[in-house]
């Protein structure tokens, strides 16, 4: 049992939790909780390292057997050590280090979602979860966006990270990457109402933050601008809500 926070593996997990540069350099991030670990196993994720307490093991014997078998390395840790590396106030007793997904998705890529300078972790995680449900093939994040593998984003994503290609790229790289797709920019109260657009062709949708909107540099490559009609008493929708409304309309049109 690991009982010291000075342990080398514990130090690594802590830096993966707190430092974006380390996650990017090592190509790994941390997931926490029983549900997330079970989802990782269900989707065939490799577990580089599994840390769990004895209490968690006693309550989850069947899952423990599966995770230990799937993990490259597993360790029992004290409650204090797990609390030291956890990003939540009340840890569930288990966490794992998993590799960041390579961009090899076979998911339908007829929809690409571009997220421009989304800064709120909860918003981004919710958008990722929604994008997976709406059959989005890949997601581009522009510079200035919160790290997609930030612990708060990962929790809000509820396992979406295991199935989506999430790519950080410059605006020029994104425009080159969506070649052949119609680009639509979501803006408050501008352009076409989202349900009047024909989404049946391969498309890319760009959504920005409430504070900044979508960078004007995308406009020269865009087929047009779309909006979600809202009551005049409301200034705008947040990015996660707007994304959900439009993405499920895209999905609806393609299924009819």
């Amino acid at each position: 049992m690991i009982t010291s926070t000075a342990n080398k593996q514990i130090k690594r997990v802590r830096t993966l939790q707190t430092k974006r540069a380390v996650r990017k350099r090592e190509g790994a991030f941390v997931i926490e909780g029983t549900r997330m670990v079970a989802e990782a196993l269900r989707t065939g994720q490799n577990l580089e390292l599994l840390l769990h307490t004895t209490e968690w093991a006693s309550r989850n014997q069947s899952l423990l057997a599966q995770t230990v078998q799937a993990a490259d390395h597993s360790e029992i840790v004290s409650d204090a050590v797990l609390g030291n590396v956890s990003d939540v106030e009340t840890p569930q007793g288990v966490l794992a280090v998993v590799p960041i997904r390579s961009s090899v998705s076979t998911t339908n890529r007829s929809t690409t979602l571009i997220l421009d300078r989304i800064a709120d972790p909860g918003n981004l995680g919710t958008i990722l979860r929604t994008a997976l449900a709406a059959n989005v093939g890949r997601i581009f994040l522009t510079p200035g966006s919160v790290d997609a593998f930030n612990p708060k984003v990962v929790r809000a994503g509820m396992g979406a990270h295991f199935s989506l290609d999430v790519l950080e790229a410059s605006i020029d790289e994104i425009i080159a990457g969506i070649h052949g797709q119609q680009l639509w920019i979501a803006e408050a109260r501008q352009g076409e109402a989202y349900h009047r657009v024909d989404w049946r062709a391969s498309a890319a949708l760009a959504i920005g933050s409430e504070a900044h909107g979508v960078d004007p540099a995308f406009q020269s490559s865009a087929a047009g601008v779309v909006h979600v009609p809202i009551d005049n008493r409301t200034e705008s929708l947040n990015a996660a809500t707007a994304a959900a409304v439009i993405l499920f309309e895209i999905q609806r049109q393609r299924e009819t």
Side-chain angles (χ1 to χ4, degrees):
M1 175 185 288
I2 297 177
T3 58
S4 171
T5 57
N7 178 277
K8 183 178 179 180
Q9 293 180 99
I10 301 305
K11 286 183 175 180
R12 177 182 180 238
V13 173
R14 191 160 55 245
T15 58
L16 286 172
Q17 289 275 49
T18 58
K19 297 185 182 299
R20 180 176 190 165
V22 174
R23 292 191 290 268
K24 186 172 184 178
R25 184 182 71 233
E26 298 199 10
F29 66 107
V30 179
I31 60 173
E32 292 197 55
T34 304
R35 183 173 177 178
M36 285 288 283
V37 170
E39 182 65 12
L41 290 179
R42 187 189 71 80
T43 54
Q45 304 306 302
N46 177 52
L47 306 181
E48 294 183 6
L49 173 66
L50 176 73
L51 300 179
H52 66 85
T53 64
T54 54
E55 181 183 358
W56 182 86
S58 66
R59 288 186 283 106
N60 298 275
Q61 293 185 10
S62 177
L63 182 57
L64 174 66
Q66 297 175 58
T67 53
V68 169
Q69 184 176 12
D72 294 340
H73 191 73
S74 64
E75 292 281 359
I76 301 172
V77 298
S78 67
D79 291 344
V81 167
L82 193 76
N84 178 264
V85 295
S86 174
D87 189 65
V88 299
E89 290 186 11
T90 308
Q92 294 184 23
V94 64
L95 59 75
V97 175
V98 297
I100 292 175
R101 178 184 173 84
S102 299
S103 300
V104 293
S105 174
T106 57
T107 303
N108 172 22
R109 285 196 170 183
S110 61
T111 305
T112 296
L113 182 60
I114 300 165
L115 301 175
D116 185 24
R117 295 168 291 178
I118 302 297
D120 181 81
N123 252 356
L124 179 54
T126 300
I127 292 171
L128 296 183
R129 188 179 182 189
T130 299
L132 180 62
N135 200 31
V136 170
R138 59 181 173 172
I139 294 176
F140 283 114
L141 298 178
T142 65
S145 301
V146 65
D147 180 19
F149 300 93
N150 174 298
K152 293 180 175 62
V153 178
V154 172
R155 284 199 300 278
M158 297 292 290
H161 292 75
F162 303 145
S163 300
L164 285 172
D165 288 342
V166 184
L167 312 170
E168 295 181 3
S170 69
I171 292 175
D172 287 344
E173 288 170 335
I174 292 170
I175 290 172
I178 61 171
H179 178 72
Q181 293 184 298
Q182 285 191 334
L183 170 61
W184 290 90
I185 296 173
E187 295 284 1
R189 307 184 190 282
Q190 297 183 42
E192 292 285 334
Y194 75 101
H195 58 280
R196 293 177 179 165
V197 174
D198 185 347
W199 295 105
R200 289 172 294 179
S202 182
L205 173 66
I207 292 181
S209 66
E210 281 188 86
H212 304 292
V214 175
D215 194 301
F218 283 107
Q219 292 178 356
S220 62
S221 301
V225 176
V226 297
H227 70 277
V228 178
I230 55 176
D231 190 278
N232 289 332
R233 292 169 294 181
T234 303
E235 182 179 350
S236 63
L237 297 175
N238 74 16
T241 302
V245 171
I246 300 172
L247 289 176
F248 282 115
E249 172 62 14
I250 296 172
Q251 181 77 342
R252 185 195 69 79
Q253 288 191 18
R254 291 178 180 172
E255 290 182 346
T256 57

